[in-house]
Amino acid sequence: MADRRKKGKGTVRQRSDGRWEGRIIAFYDDNNKPKYKSVFGKSKTEVQEKLKTLMEEQVFVGGKTPSKAKSEMKFGEWIDAWFRTYAQPAIRETTKECYANYIYHHIIPSIGNTVLSELTQKALQDFYGSLKEQGRCIRTEQFGEGLSDRMVRGCHAMCRKSLEKAMEQGLINSNPAIGCKLPSKKAREMQVLTPSELKQFLMQAHYEGYYEFYLLEFATGLRRGEICGLQWKDLNLKTGELHVHRQVVAVQGGINITEPKTKASDRTIMLSPSVLGVIHNLYNQSNSQWIFPSPVKDDTPYNPQSVYRKTQQILERSGCKKVRFHDLRHTFATMALENGMDIKTLSNMIGHVSAETTLNIYSHITNEMQQNAARKIDASIGREDVHPRNEIAEALQSKVDPPKPLEYAPYKGKIRKSGTGGIYKINDHLYEGRFTPTNAYGKREPHNVYAHTPEECEILLEKMIAEVRAQIAKEKEQLSKKDL
């Protein structure tokens, strides 16, 4: 049996005319199709030597014309070429933004001038340490100078993947990124709303006109982009079948409509009669193809970034703890499991690739369910007298009055006058002031200021609005002069 050539070393074969041919991939075109380059010879040995020389000269730079390899090639040049040629064609838009942030904001400015063949593990380790201490480029006053562990690990992933490809192409002998010590990988803490918080949240959402949106979220556990991407044609108003076929992704200040995250995410969900009735009433009032259209732009879906801000606003006003939008999805999954839904059904409903993924995420809940089941089994065979573990039962056993019914009135804040912008709480120590006027060219243009307190933000916002209005008036005057 002939020896099989290693991956990335090209192919060698004998042609029907008796000549030998060696071939490697020279580059990938705009459609991610490989384009090849060949060498020929009278013998296999001759072709192998020519192929080796060709691979030493070839550098896979993005575009249709590859450049020649140079011993002084910089790591920044290589990782840029790797991103545009290999990584970018195979990833989603949001992932492209994330990769580009790692590469062009952190990696290239710091170690991009290092010669590729001279890049060492120590240099990479020092680079990761500097990111952790003083790698942040923006908002250092609010978050400090160092990057998070997640960002450091992301930068390492870019270095490791690009250097692995460089090694395949024979540009380096080994990958210096392998073996680097990294910050520990910490999963984001899952938080769910309690039943009382859930009621308060929905009451506040109803007052602010977003009840249907959040009710559907708590009833289905859809991802943020998925619920924004729903159209009326995806919902069967008679049977309650809701088809998830697309998602909305926020990209560079705009939005993109893409396919769902995975194949499993393209799914069908059955709505309960009560939820379907609420959504049906919304249908009777709608004049858009989108179930949840943008409130500021016709014939476009709700922007996921706006959903995030509105969620934080409702959480604050309703007195609930601060959670991510994704934690609303966790709240649905937790309620589903606690009310008897099996793991396989839940996995299909929330669009996980497998039930194993669901088990890993919600293992703490399933453990509690198993413990409750074990106690019930013990009780049924007479081993012990077990009572359900819940707040009301425990309160009765300790002779404490059970919790009183929820008393909550929606927050009714002051309504800002039109043209005065808005102030939004980003986190506990950062507020954003936003003003989005129509500029001199007829397009809406956002302007932002940031401050530590709402009072300080209000002052900065008022000053910024005056400056922006003066600038727009000046631009309009200049345009009118040009028209004359």
Side-chain angles (χ1 to χ4, degrees):
M1 183 176 178
D3 292 337
R4 187 178 184 88
R5 294 180 66 82
K6 293 182 180 180
K7 184 178 180 181
K9 298 297 182 181
T11 59
V12 176
R13 69 184 182 95
Q14 189 173 23
R15 295 164 54 93
S16 59
D17 59 5
R19 292 187 303 162
W20 285 83
E21 177 188 8
R23 189 170 75 162
I24 61 172
I25 298 175
F27 61 89
Y28 288 81
D29 63 15
D30 295 336
N31 296 320
N32 202 26
K33 300 293 184 182
K35 299 300 178 182
Y36 298 90
K37 192 167 185 178
S38 299
V39 293
F40 301 91
K42 294 180 180 180
S43 67
K44 183 178 181 180
T45 303
E46 180 186 354
V47 167
Q48 287 176 332
E49 290 297 324
K50 288 183 177 180
L51 189 62
K52 182 179 179 181
T53 302
L54 177 62
M55 292 185 67
E56 290 175 350
E57 295 176 343
Q58 195 75 30
V59 177
F60 298 92
V61 180
K64 298 186 177 181
T65 306
S67 64
K68 298 291 182 179
K70 298 179 182 179
S71 59
E72 67 271 16
M73 175 183 242
K74 302 295 178 61
F75 177 53
E77 181 184 350
W78 167 253
I79 198 171
D80 170 63
W82 167 82
F83 172 65
R84 291 186 286 109
T85 306
Y86 292 102
Q88 192 167 245
I91 55 180
R92 295 175 177 271
E93 287 297 325
T94 49
T95 310
K96 289 178 186 178
E97 279 194 345
C98 188
Y99 278 27
N101 180 40
Y102 292 139
I103 293 170
Y104 299 112
H105 291 168
H106 301 291
I107 297 175
I108 291 180
S110 297
I111 56 175
N113 287 327
T114 304
V115 176
L116 178 61
S117 59
E118 297 177 1
L119 186 62
T120 64
Q121 186 179 96
K122 183 180 183 303
L124 288 173
Q125 196 70 67
D126 291 343
F127 166 55
Y128 301 150
S130 67
L131 289 179
K132 186 66 179 171
E133 292 180 2
Q134 50 185 14
R136 183 173 295 279
C137 300
I138 59 174
R139 297 180 180 174
T140 55
E141 294 182 357
Q142 290 79 25
F143 301 106
E145 295 184 351
L147 288 177
S148 66
D149 292 347
R150 182 169 175 266
M151 285 292 293
V152 175
R153 294 182 68 89
C155 289
H156 166 73
M158 298 299 99
C159 293
R160 179 179 55 78
K161 290 178 181 179
S162 64
L163 290 168
E164 184 67 30
K165 180 58 68 174
M167 192 172 71
E168 286 183 15
Q169 304 304 327
L171 299 176
I172 54 177
N173 295 323
S174 62
N175 187 343
I178 295 177
C180 286
K181 186 177 180 180
L182 301 173
S184 59
K185 186 177 182 180
K186 300 176 183 176
R188 292 187 178 181
E189 183 182 357
M190 180 196 304
Q191 298 189 78
V192 297
L193 298 182
T194 64
S196 59
E197 287 177 325
L198 178 57
K199 292 177 183 178
Q200 291 176 202
F201 184 94
L202 286 175
M203 290 175 69
Q204 185 66 43
H206 187 276
Y207 174 77
E208 300 194 22
Y210 291 88
Y211 177 72
E212 295 84 358
F213 182 91
Y214 289 103
L215 177 67
L216 185 62
E217 174 59 31
F218 286 121
T220 60
L222 291 173
R223 298 180 178 93
R224 181 172 55 169
E226 292 172 345
I227 193 170
C228 290
L230 293 175
Q231 295 183 352
W232 287 114
K233 65 181 181 181
D234 301 328
L235 176 61
N236 188 322
L237 291 168
K238 294 181 178 179
T239 64
E241 293 182 352
L242 180 64
H243 303 281
V244 181
H245 293 316
R246 73 191 67 79
Q247 66 174 348
V248 180
V249 180
V251 180
Q252 296 180 349
I255 58 173
N256 281 353
I257 311 298
T258 68
E259 59 187 16
K261 184 178 180 181
T262 64
K263 289 184 178 179
S265 300
D266 194 323
R267 61 200 187 278
T268 300
I269 299 172
M270 294 297 299
L271 301 184
S272 67
S274 59
V275 174
L276 181 61
V278 172
I279 302 301
H280 199 293
N281 290 336
L282 183 65
Y283 172 75
N284 294 332
Q285 306 168 23
S286 177
N287 57 2
S288 171
Q289 64 173 324
W290 304 95
I291 295 182
F292 302 109
S294 168
V296 296
K297 192 173 182 180
D298 293 337
D299 199 34
T300 57
Y302 202 5
N303 190 315
Q305 292 290 355
S306 299
V307 171
Y308 167 78
R309 289 190 288 266
K310 176 52 67 174
T311 302
Q312 296 306 310
Q313 185 181 72
I314 293 176
L315 285 168
E316 181 181 4
R317 290 177 174 177
S318 61
C320 298
K321 60 177 170 286
K322 184 177 180 181
V323 299
R324 303 167 299 162
F325 182 89
H326 203 73
D327 288 320
L328 307 187
R329 175 174 162 91
H330 291 322
T331 300
F332 157 76
T334 301
M335 290 190 299
L337 289 171
E338 290 177 344
N339 285 278
M341 183 179 289
D342 63 275
I343 287 291
K344 182 62 178 176
T345 302
L346 176 62
S347 178
N348 292 335
M349 193 167 183
I350 60 181
H352 281 164
V353 174
S354 67
E356 183 180 359
T357 303
T358 312
L359 277 169
N360 291 337
I361 295 174
Y362 301 106
S363 59
H364 64 292
I365 302 171
T366 55
N367 288 341
E368 291 177 7
M369 293 168 62
Q370 290 173 1
Q371 291 171 4
N372 289 333
R375 283 194 295 271
K376 290 179 181 179
I377 292 172
D378 283 343
S380 67
I381 60 178
R383 289 179 59 186
E384 62 173 282
D385 186 17
V386 179
H387 298 282
R389 293 184 64 184
N390 57 55
E391 293 180 4
I392 296 179
E394 291 176 358
L396 290 173
Q397 290 171 8
S398 60
K399 298 181 180 181
V400 177
D401 294 333
K404 295 181 180 180
L406 176 68
E407 296 180 0
Y408 173 74
Y411 169 83
K412 301 179 180 180
K414 68 175 185 178
I415 300 176
R416 298 182 67 90
K417 293 182 180 180
S418 177
T420 61
I423 293 179
Y424 308 93
K425 184 178 180 179
I426 296 179
N427 55 43
D428 292 337
H429 48 266
L430 183 64
Y431 291 81
E432 177 189 53
R434 190 182 313 116
F435 179 54
T436 311
T438 301
N439 62 22
Y441 303 93
K443 293 185 178 181
R444 289 177 62 84
E445 185 178 56
H447 300 267
N448 309 83
V449 292
Y450 298 90
H452 295 292
T453 65
E455 294 77 15
E456 182 183 355
C457 195
E458 189 75 62
I459 296 172
L460 294 176
L461 178 61
E462 184 177 352
K463 181 180 178 182
M464 183 261 286
I465 289 176
E467 293 174 351
V468 170
R469 283 177 172 167
Q471 180 64 29
I472 292 175
K474 183 178 179 181
E475 290 175 353
K476 285 183 177 180
E477 184 179 351
Q478 291 174 348
L479 289 174
S480 62
K481 289 181 179 179
K482 287 183 180 179
D483 293 338
L484 295 176

